[in-house]
Structures are given as C-alpha cells and as structure tokens.
Amino acid sequence: MDKTNTNLRVNPARLWDSLEEMAKVGPGVAGGCNRQTLTDADSEGRHLFQRWCEAAGMTMGVDTLGNMFATRPGTDPDALPIYMGSHLDTQPTGGKYDGVLGVLGPLEVVRTMNDLGLKTRRPIVVTNWTNEEGARFAPAMLDSGVFAGVLTEDYAKSRRDLDGKVFGEELKRIGWEGKEKVGARKMHAMLELHIEQGPILEAEGKTIGVVTHGQGLWWLEITLTGKDAHTGSTPMNMRVNAGLGMARITERVHQIAMAHQPDAVGAVGQVKVFPNSRNVIPGKVIFTVDIRSPEQAKLDAMKAEVTRAAHAAAKELGLGCTTEEVGHFDPVAFDPDLVTIVRQSAERLGHSHRDIVSGAGHDACWINRVAPTVMIMCPCVDGLSHNEAESITPEWAAAGTDVLLHSTLQLAETVA
Ligand code: HGY
Ligand code: MN
Ligand code: MN
C-alpha cells in the first residue's frame, strides 16, 4: 500500500463513537468528564481501553506506575517501535477530548491498519500515560516525567491528594500497578495527538497544528500562616489574615504575567483555606501558582518575581510564608524531522495547517527527552478546555487522526 495514498483515512464514525463511549466513563455534571487519575472511574476507563486494544489484536503491557502500552507487532520484532499516546485521566470538570483523543486516535489508527491489512516493519505502541493532569496528584505529567528519568518512582508514589490519599496506595487499590520497569522501553519516536486547548487554530481557520515547541511551566505551592480569629470581634489592626495575603499574591501573579506579555501567563487555580469557616479569619492558606512562557528567560524572571512578591506580601501582613516547587519543565523544542513529517502529512491530506507552540503541558514534553517526539493538534471550539463544555467537531478529530495515521505509517515503514 502506497503510504502516501491520500485515500488512506481513518473511520471517522468509529473514532467518534469511541470518544463518546469513553466519555460515559466518569461523566461530569455538565456534559464533560470527571475521570480523575487513580479513581474507580479511571480504572473503568483503563479496562475499556484494554478491551478495545485486545479486540484490535494488540497485547497490553503495564509498568509499575500504571502507564499502559498496547503493542501491534511489526515484521521486525527487534526494530524500535513507534509510540503514539496521551492520557485518559481528566480534570474534575474536564472535557471529553483533552488527552482522550490522543489515546483513542492512535487506537483508530491501528483499527484502520487492521481493516486494510497494513503491515509495518516497526512495531506500533498505543500509550496511556498515568496522571498527566496533575489535578489530583501534583505535578502534571508525573508518570511520563518518571519514564523520562526526570522524576523518581518513589517521588511519584509518595504524592498526596488534598484528602491525604497517597498515589502508590491508590494505584494498588485500583489494581493498575503493573510489573514493567518504568522507562525500560525504548522508542524510535513518539507522536502525541491533542486538542489545542487554545483559540488560535479555530480563529485562523486552520485544521491542523504542527507543534514545533511547548512552553515551559512552574507550579509554586505557597503556604501562608497567620492566625485564626473571629471575623466579627477582631479589630482590623489585630488581624493576621492569610486569606488577604493569598488575594494580594494572586493579584501580583496576574500583574507579573501581564508585565511579560506577549507569551507569558500566570494564575492561581488551586486554593485550600483553613479552617475554611465563614466567620473565621483564615489562619492558613495553601495555594499553587501556575506560571508559563515559551521563553526560558521570561519563565525564570517570573518565577523570581512571584517568589519575591509572595515574601513581600507576607511580610507586610505579618504572615509566615514558604514556597515549594511542585511542578516544572523548561520550554521544549520538538524533533525537527518529525515536525517536517507531520507538516508534509497535513499537506498531502489537503488539511490547512500552521506551526504552533503548545500552551498546555503534555506527556510529549517529557518524552521529548528520551526519544524524538512531536505533537499534532486539532482545533477546539472557542479554544476552551479544562471545562466540561470543551468541544471539537468529528471532522477535526478525524483530520488530526488522519495526519497521525500518515505520519506513523511513514515512521513505522509500511511493508508491501
Ligand atoms: O497543565 C497542563 O498544561 C496540562 O493540561 N496538564
Ligand atoms: Mn491533556
Ligand atoms: Mn489537561
């Protein structure tokens, strides 16, 4: 089969049905998903994914952090495989496509190859990375970070959620702690298909994002300590208000990001207030600052400015202040040769496309350290993501998966 055959396309209806079927596992309350990592819903989604992979003739391997690897054999078992993957875990108010398209799109690629009886020299592996979101257990991209040798397995297994549940214990509880050594697998290349999660592609009428770079990020967890006191009877000049400190620092994070425009973002997304009672001045607040930029210098400058601002605000209010780095990766440049293959596949298939920098972090950002890696993006409506109203069209899903199909067949070397 001529790999450049532009008639070679996936089955859009089957892909869409799989996305909708998976979305029923761990449903949200407003049409999206709440399939947080290492929950029973995550486990149910994993079982469904495994059943589908085995029905497509693949064999499943699972490592000691629950990363899942479904293999379609090649004609040369010694050849390094082509990996395609992303994540099935979602935010608490997540969409149906963030991560999921990057796992079920590759499954559709394999299903299409089966339909057409296509053989490749290299094996092909479809991957589900555990805990990409970092919503329940920080940091994001935790297990691909261990796979890439940046984080340790002990660190990953020690992470706690807001209820004090421990990652390693939850992984055992849901029965997805595998036997494979994390990071032992070697890859010829890794491709990740993902929705853009930003407004650019849709606004410019482009169907495919050829991802050349990913912006870097810092997650700084700040703990402010003041004094619990009565909100009614405590005079204003006697208050040691950790909640006020958090508010001031949140405003400063916004100002710092705005001062580094363009290409800088910052916000506070997770806040835990103690004792979180309506008539008690918060004596303690723990919150995470998320700052990002594609430019290393800006990222480093913002981190220093946010840290200084936090300590200054705390000092003004007489608060104790500690900061902890709970997530980080530098800006990444994806493999130029793979970027060219993705761009050529989009061209060949007649899809409009543009080079783009990923605003969100992805497992590909870590895997890029251990294998040539690239990402393919499709638009999402209004650029909205990490929101249950996240939406894409079946056409966008199919276009991104067709580009993945063609790029993967080229890299895996179809055998006549
Ligand atoms: O945080 C991120 O960028 C990704 O969605 N986990
Ligand atoms: Mn994602
Ligand atoms: Mn996400």
Side-chain angles (χ1 to χ4, degrees):
M1 168 74 69
D2 169 10
K3 64 179 178 301
T4 63
N5 178 344
T6 53
N7 293 328
L8 206 50
R9 311 263 173 154
V10 297
N11 180 327
R14 181 172 57 192
L15 170 61
W16 197 254
D17 288 348
S18 299
L19 290 167
E20 292 303 301
E21 194 62 30
M22 181 59 76
K24 293 174 190 162
V25 179
V29 295
C33 288
N34 178 8
R35 192 171 55 245
Q36 295 183 61
T37 198
L38 307 189
T39 59
D40 294 337
D42 180 20
S43 177
E44 188 187 337
R46 289 163 171 267
H47 282 297
L48 177 59
F49 172 58
Q50 175 154 349
R51 283 198 302 277
W52 281 342
C53 289
E54 289 169 349
M58 293 193 271
T59 51
M60 185 63 76
V62 182
D63 70 19
T64 51
L65 282 177
N67 294 315
M68 299 172 75
F69 305 99
T71 300
R72 182 182 198 263
T75 57
D76 175 357
D78 300 327
L80 285 184
I82 304 300
Y83 281 67
M84 303 179 277
S86 190
H87 61 94
L88 290 174
D89 67 311
T90 76
Q91 289 284 335
T93 54
K96 302 193 277 191
Y97 312 105
D98 170 2
V100 185
L101 178 63
V103 178
L104 301 188
L107 171 63
E108 176 51 36
V109 164
V110 168
R111 285 169 168 171
T112 299
M113 292 171 68
N114 292 345
D115 292 345
L116 301 171
L118 286 178
K119 287 189 172 60
T120 55
R121 183 175 78 83
R122 296 183 180 281
I124 285 173
V125 181
V126 180
T127 303
N128 169 34
W129 297 106
T130 302
N131 193 43
E132 187 281 340
E133 289 294 357
R136 186 180 174 200
F137 298 100
M141 289 78 78
L142 176 58
D143 287 9
S144 50
V146 176
F147 188 94
V150 178
L151 304 168
T152 68
E153 182 162 345
D154 288 348
Y155 170 77
K157 288 189 167 176
S158 70
R159 310 304 294 148
R160 288 176 183 274
D161 68 11
L162 288 177
D163 299 323
K165 294 250 176 70
V166 182
F167 185 103
E169 291 165 18
E170 283 294 277
L171 181 64
K172 274 199 176 72
R173 181 186 66 80
I174 66 166
W176 280 96
E177 182 182 55
K179 298 267 184 275
E180 284 190 20
K181 181 175 174 353
V182 181
R185 286 173 171 262
K186 300 303 170 211
M187 307 173 174
H188 181 68
M190 209 281 284
L191 300 96
E192 180 166 4
L193 170 63
H194 207 286
I195 64 172
E196 180 198 340
Q197 299 182 293
I200 298 169
L201 293 176
E202 186 189 37
E204 292 184 6
K206 297 285 192 293
T207 307
I208 297 295
V210 181
V211 187
T212 57
H213 298 78
Q215 68 177 348
L217 72 84
W218 277 105
W219 280 4
L220 304 174
E221 185 175 272
I222 297 175
T223 300
L224 298 176
T225 44
K227 188 163 72 176
D228 294 3
H230 198 298
T231 48
S233 54
T234 309
M236 292 303 280
N237 65 353
M238 289 176 66
R239 298 181 178 209
V240 193
N241 186 342
L244 178 58
M246 183 271 293
R248 288 186 179 174
I249 294 166
T250 301
E251 171 62 27
R252 284 292 295 126
V253 167
H254 179 80
Q255 290 166 355
I256 288 165
M258 293 309 290
H260 284 280
Q261 291 306 305
D263 302 328
V265 291
V268 170
Q270 186 184 74
V271 179
K272 197 158 184 188
V273 180
F274 300 87
N276 202 27
S277 166
R278 292 178 182 81
N279 45 6
V280 177
I281 296 164
K284 182 176 174 184
V285 177
I286 303 173
F287 57 106
T288 301
V289 174
D290 179 323
I291 47 177
R292 308 191 191 200
S293 176
E295 294 179 38
Q296 189 69 54
K298 285 193 177 185
L299 187 64
D300 295 343
M302 287 201 290
K303 181 191 177 208
E305 290 164 33
V306 166
T307 306
R308 269 199 303 277
H311 287 287
K315 192 168 177 213
E316 261 172 43
L317 295 169
L319 298 168
C321 176
T322 60
T323 59
E324 184 190 350
E325 297 169 0
V326 294
H328 170 241
F329 61 82
D330 289 333
V332 297
F334 291 116
D335 181 89
D337 295 337
L338 295 186
V339 168
T340 302
I341 288 173
V342 166
R343 196 181 292 120
Q344 288 171 344
S345 297
E347 294 267 332
R348 200 159 54 231
L349 288 159
H351 291 308
S352 57
H353 59 87
R354 60 106 81 197
D355 289 2
I356 195 168
V357 175
S358 175
H362 302 283
D363 296 305
C365 299
W366 280 140
I367 302 305
N368 189 55
R369 289 177 175 235
V370 292
T373 300
V374 72
M375 291 191 72
I376 301 162
M377 282 186 172
C378 77
C380 53
V381 175
D382 299 335
L384 185 65
S385 184
H386 287 193
N387 182 308
E388 292 207 43
E390 178 185 279
S391 175
I392 65 174
T393 68
E395 293 71 24
W396 289 342
T401 308
D402 282 335
V403 172
L404 180 67
L405 169 68
H406 279 246
S407 305
T408 300
L409 288 178
Q410 183 170 338
L411 288 161
E413 301 164 30
T414 43
V415 175

